[in-house]
Every structure is written in structure tokens, then in C-alpha cells.
Amino acid sequence: MKSTLIQADIYQAIKYIAERLYQRNLLAAADGNISYRMDNGYIAITASGIAKVAIQPDELAIIKLNGEVISGNPSSEKLMHCAVYQKCPTARWVIHAHPPTAIAWTVAKPELSELPGNCISELILAAGKIPIVPYARPGTAAMGENLIPFLPTYRILLLARHGALAWGENWQEALNGMERLEHAAQILLHAEKLGGITDLPSEEIAILQEMRIKIGNKTI
Ligand SMILES: [Zn+2]
């Protein structure tokens, strides 16, 4: 029988991630969820309806890759986590949060298909392109299905009129992704207020993209 015990260090990592997300205003109330792919293939995920910042060890649910619940009470947003783990064999951690500035870009500019990232060298190098996933009604299968075309290529996904999702091979990578997304969205917002976003020269963008290929498809 597969063990469904959650290691203490995994719980501590989830608690630390939740604290960081709250400190950086990336979550409100009981928003968001954090999950981890266990060695046995099951997924440990934060339970529905609880403030993640004060999470207790017994507030983690266990689900199968197909979303079937083994124990606990995960939210319907588990479908997004399952889509990532199904499509990305190297994904070990998934963080879903509601970064306010990043979401605001999708609300104010629904015509965008990606965050305008060709103006910041660091974003091109450390994260690459950040696509905007079409809106999905909460609680529907579209929440997971809409992610599929973007996986496993992208590790940071902005979800239109909802939030964002970042995955990684370790929890640091997933957390870096979420923090980088909101930070970049804030820089872009300030640039818009100061007169408008200007892209780097196309030759420079091409060089940075080459450098990104050497770094590899990961968030740093
Ligand atoms: Zn959400």
C-alpha cells in the first residue's frame, strides 16, 4: 500500500511558502493553494477554505494524479495542479496565488496573450515568456484544460481575471516564479504610468533569448 504520510519537512516548506506569499500580498483570506508531488506519486495539497498562512499539518489533503481525493478537502482548483503534474513529469511543486498587479494586467488589457516582458532583461533571462491563460469559470473542468496547451513549456502562467500558477522542480523555483511575476507586473505598471512601456532593441532581445536557451527551461 502506498504511504500517504506527509513528511515534516514538506509541511514546513508549505508553511514557509504560505508565509512568504502573504508577506508579499500575493494571497488574501483563504485564497490560493500549494501542492507537492510525493515520492509515491500522490499529491499533497492545501485544503479548501483555510487561510494558508496558518496552515496545520492536518489541513493538507491527499489526491491522485487524476484528481481523485484520497483524504482531506481540496478545492476545485486542484484541477489546475493535476494538469501540471500530468503534463510536466519534472514538476514537484505547484503554487497558485492571486498576485494583484499581475491580475490587473489581464483585467485592464484583455487583448494581451502574454505579459509584456521584452522590456526587462532579467525577466527574459530568469523566467522567459509568461503567457496569459484564457479565463476559466471557477469550479469547471476548464480550469485544468485551459492550461494544457501551455505545458510543459511554461513554468509561470498568468490566469486571466483570476490569478497565477508557478511550478518548479523544487519549491524555491515555484516560489521564485510567483514572486518574479508580480515584481515584473509592478515594474510594467510603473512604466505605463511614467509614459509607456518600451521594448529592448530586437537584436538585444534575440541575444537574451539565446542566453535563456543556454540557461535552460527553468525559473531562476
Ligand atoms: Zn484561485
Side-chain angles (χ1 to χ4, degrees), residues 6-194:
I6 297 165
Q7 300 156 256
D9 58 336
I10 298 305
Y11 164 69
Q12 289 300 334
I14 289 172
K15 195 167 157 50
Y16 176 75
I17 293 165
E19 286 167 357
R20 280 278 287 265
L21 293 173
Y22 271 89
Q23 284 164 4
R24 293 179 172 259
N25 192 33
L26 301 172
L27 287 178
D31 289 350
N33 11 77
I34 302 159
S35 69
Y36 166 71
R37 193 198 317 246
M38 299 161 73
D39 291 339
N40 61 14
Y42 289 166
I43 298 157
I45 183 166
T46 49
S48 175
I50 56 149
K52 278 62 185 186
V53 73
I55 190 162
Q56 300 299 310
D58 63 358
E59 291 174 328
L60 289 168
I62 306 285
I63 59 174
K64 288 185 180 176
L65 203 55
N66 63 7
E68 188 185 326
V69 178
I70 304 278
S71 65
N73 179 33
S75 86
S76 59
E77 290 186 322
K78 69 178 187 288
L79 297 174
M80 299 191 295
H81 296 251
C82 290
V84 173
Y85 291 118
Q86 286 169 13
K87 289 288 166 188
C88 312
T90 60
R92 222 44 215 270
W93 286 84
V94 177
I95 297 174
H96 165 57
H98 293 176
T101 319
I103 297 169
W105 277 94
T106 74
V107 174
K109 297 183 182 290
E111 70 279 10
L112 291 179
S113 60
E114 63 182 277
L115 196 70
N118 284 338
C119 49
I120 311 169
S121 58
E122 197 59 33
L123 193 59
I124 299 172
L125 291 178
K129 178 177 144 180
I130 300 178
I132 298 174
V133 178
Y135 172 77
R137 189 179 307 138
T140 63
M143 294 190 92
E145 290 166 0
N146 286 7
L147 301 180
I148 303 297
F150 302 94
L151 300 171
T153 309
Y154 301 105
R155 298 190 178 199
I156 307 171
L157 303 158
L158 181 49
L159 313 174
R161 301 177 187 275
H162 173 196
L165 194 141
W167 66 269
E169 295 174 29
N170 50 56
W171 64 262
Q172 292 91 341
E173 183 183 11
L175 186 56
N176 284 349
M178 191 59 68
E179 291 187 350
R180 280 203 180 281
L181 168 61
E182 177 63 7
H183 194 248
Q186 288 176 11
I187 294 169
L188 294 169
L189 171 63
H190 293 310
E192 276 278 275
K193 286 182 184 166
L194 289 170

